[in-house]
Amino acid sequence: MKSFIEYQKESDFSIHNIPFGVAIFKNEYIACCTRIGDQIIDLASLYELSYLEGIEELEENVFEAYTLNDFIELGKEVTVPVRKKLQELFSEGSLLEKDEKAIENCFFELDEVEMLMPVHVSNYTDFYSSIEHATNVGKMFRDPENALLPNWKHLPVGYHGRASSIVVSGMDFHRPKGQTKAANEVAPSFGPTKQLDFELEMAFIVNKNTALGESVTTQEAENAIFGMVLFNDWSARDIQAWEYVPLGPFLGKSFCSSISPWVITLEALELFRVASPKQEPEVLDYLKFDGEKNFDINLTVSLTPEKGEETIICQSNFKYMYWNMAQQLAHHTINGCNLEVGDMYASGTISGKEESSFGSLLELTWRGEKPLRLNDGTERKFLEDGDQISITGYCLKEDIRVGFGEVKAKILPSK
Ligand code: MN
């Protein structure tokens, strides 16, 4: 496959990718879009020009919308052929290549568009599915000998998070305030968090509504997943530590979570499937699965202080996940909880075995005991005002690269 649109070999957005997003074009109108290299393609206009004809069930211009929800609700029967059709249209020798007028109308440079939230997030759940992360946290806060709680290897632990405060990359946010109490204090105090952290995560987006009482099996689960994004689960550790007993994360998490603007389909990730880590002890029947359900996705986190230089602080990989997405969705629905189009399910912090692969400052600095040294000579235990965190991710096999782009945001002073 070779595209007539030129792009660098290192581009995340090769002809093998075909991501989906939503953008404002020239500050004038909003539409769903895709991207090749550094060209953004307005899908609503492409549809109007009849380039997406012949796909059954695609009877309306669902791309003329503020979110991808209507498009992804059509399911894989439509989203898969649309992606295929776009690959054909962008290939050398296509009809579109010769249609100068269409290219002029539908193709935009990066600086002519602003990316928006790709979906309306109906519900948000955060899992805790990296065994390395759960073990690190257990060692720090509980018993180093029994770091994992007894349930951890039997079910994908998770909690229901806040959907309304999930924002797209580039939206900076104010340091949250809240109630905290250090171990040596007798009473709690109020103020800006002193322990602001990031969490390196990925999230998947669901493409169907199910009825209450219905369950999705591990076999069916991937058919209900449209695609994935990069996810930063910003966390205020001091607020979290004081509030979380006994019901789990609350205001220490709900102030903001950031996602990358491009949704990468499971079809684009097909080539990068790998086996999951072995699960021992054996899981219950409803969590058993066949085939390779994990993905080899290289992940990098960098920190850039205000006016300072960038430092790479973590390199990890999605393939380390102990629980896969099919198991997460099967578990989520086993009690009859219904799915909604646009639901977002985050992985939990993705840490690996190496210290350099730990996916949060909490782990990288071992709860502040070992501060990180940055390239500009300063140190960090937790994030400071003006710090920007960027997460990038990509898959690479032989010459084929499929990437996620970036999710970044900067911390503004407390309001
Ligand atoms: Mn998290």
Side-chain angles (χ1 to χ4, degrees), residues 159-187:
Y159 68 94
H160 290 296
R162 183 80 193 164
S164 69
S165 52
I166 300 176
V167 298
V168 75
S169 178
M171 289 267 288
D172 300 335
F173 65 95
H174 294 273
R175 176 179 296 271
K177 290 178 287 200
Q179 210 183 106
T180 59
K181 191 185 95 57
N184 58 357
E185 290 170 342
V186 279

Side-chain angles (χ1 to χ4, degrees), residues 126-127 159 199 201 233 253 348-349:
D126 194 20
F127 285 98
Y159 68 94
E199 286 187 347
E201 305 198 17
D233 178 21
K253 300 274 193 180
T349 307

Side-chain angles (χ1 to χ4, degrees), residues 116-415:
L116 303 176
M117 273 293 286
V119 290
H120 170 74
V121 182
S122 303
N123 303 277
Y124 159 54
T125 296
D126 194 20
F127 285 98
Y128 190 57
S129 290
S130 151
I131 195 165
E132 289 82 6
H133 173 67
T135 303
N136 285 339
V137 173
K139 277 186 194 168
M140 268 184 261
F141 291 95
R142 286 183 296 270
D143 175 7
E145 300 304 312
N146 293 291
L148 290 179
L149 287 167
N151 62 0
W152 200 90
K153 286 186 165 181
H154 295 281
L155 56 88
V157 169
Y159 68 94
H160 290 296
R162 183 80 193 164
S164 69
S165 52
I166 300 176
V167 298
V168 75
S169 178
M171 289 267 288
D172 300 335
F173 65 95
H174 294 273
R175 176 179 296 271
K177 290 178 287 200
Q179 210 183 106
T180 59
K181 191 185 95 57
N184 58 357
E185 290 170 342
V186 279
S189 53
F190 177 81
T193 173
K194 295 186 183 81
Q195 298 186 346
L196 188 56
D197 199 357
F198 70 89
E199 286 187 347
L200 163 62
E201 305 198 17
M202 298 196 70
F204 67 84
I205 295 164
V206 152
N207 65 9
K208 67 190 275 185
N209 297 310
T210 61
L212 264 182
E214 210 178 290
S215 301
V216 173
T217 65
T218 56
Q219 190 97 23
E220 297 160 339
E222 288 186 345
N223 204 32
I225 299 174
F226 172 63
M228 297 178 72
V229 292
L230 302 168
F231 193 100
N232 187 342
D233 178 21
W234 302 99
S235 302
R237 300 298 179 197
D238 43 0
I239 297 173
Q240 185 184 356
W242 172 229
E243 74 177 358
Y244 88 103
V245 181
L247 289 186
F250 190 28
L251 305 187
K253 300 274 193 180
S254 62
F255 56 93
C256 185
S257 312
S258 304
I259 63 166
S260 52
W262 294 105
V263 187
I264 311 306
T265 64
L266 280 200
E267 292 68 43
L269 299 172
E270 196 55 44
L271 198 60
F272 310 101
R273 278 185 189 274
V274 287
S276 307
K278 189 174 164 43
Q279 296 184 328
E280 189 65 53
E282 200 180 15
V283 295
L284 288 172
D285 280 348
Y286 81 94
L287 290 169
K288 288 184 179 145
F289 64 95
D290 292 322
E292 296 183 329
K293 291 268 187 288
N294 217 332
F295 296 89
D296 183 358
I297 306 170
N298 301 288
L299 299 164
T300 301
V301 185
S302 74
L303 191 162
T304 310
E306 187 108 87
K307 300 189 187 100
E309 68 180 286
E310 181 176 32
T311 305
I312 289 173
I313 58 173
C314 161
Q315 287 189 295
S316 188
N317 194 305
F318 186 72
K319 71 181 178 191
Y320 303 144
M321 301 305 295
Y322 188 88
W323 296 101
N324 59 56
M325 297 184 282
Q327 291 180 305
Q328 289 169 341
L329 212 51
H331 183 66
H332 206 289
T333 56
I334 196 63
N335 66 345
C337 173
N338 53 327
L339 302 178
E340 290 190 327
V341 175
D343 278 0
M344 196 168 276
Y345 300 83
S347 56
T349 307
I350 305 162
S351 296
K353 285 193 174 65
E354 309 296 324
E355 272 182 49
S356 60
S357 67
F358 292 173
S360 63
L361 281 177
L362 179 72
E363 295 161 89
L364 288 166
T365 71
W366 210 254
R367 220 179 167 180
E369 282 172 25
K370 296 186 283 183
L372 267 191
R373 181 163 279 273
L374 303 182
N375 289 342
D376 67 0
T378 60
E379 287 189 341
R380 288 292 182 285
K381 291 180 179 171
F382 290 99
L383 297 170
E384 294 184 1
D385 291 348
D387 284 353
Q388 175 178 275
I389 290 288
S390 158
I391 300 175
T392 54
Y394 70 93
C395 308
L396 186 64
K397 196 170 189 178
E398 282 137 32
D399 266 354
I400 297 181
R401 181 169 168 129
V402 169
F404 286 77
E406 179 182 37
V407 52
K408 65 176 178 188
K410 192 170 85 170
I411 292 134
L412 306 171
S414 212
K415 258 190 175 169

Side-chain angles (χ1 to χ4, degrees), residues 58-77:
L58 187 66
E59 287 146 3
E60 278 173 63
N61 194 345
V62 286
F63 305 108
E64 206 176 53
Y66 289 6
T67 68
L68 290 168
N69 291 48
D70 287 350
F71 171 55
I72 69 178
E73 186 171 0
L74 297 171
K76 302 247 180 207
E77 281 168 36

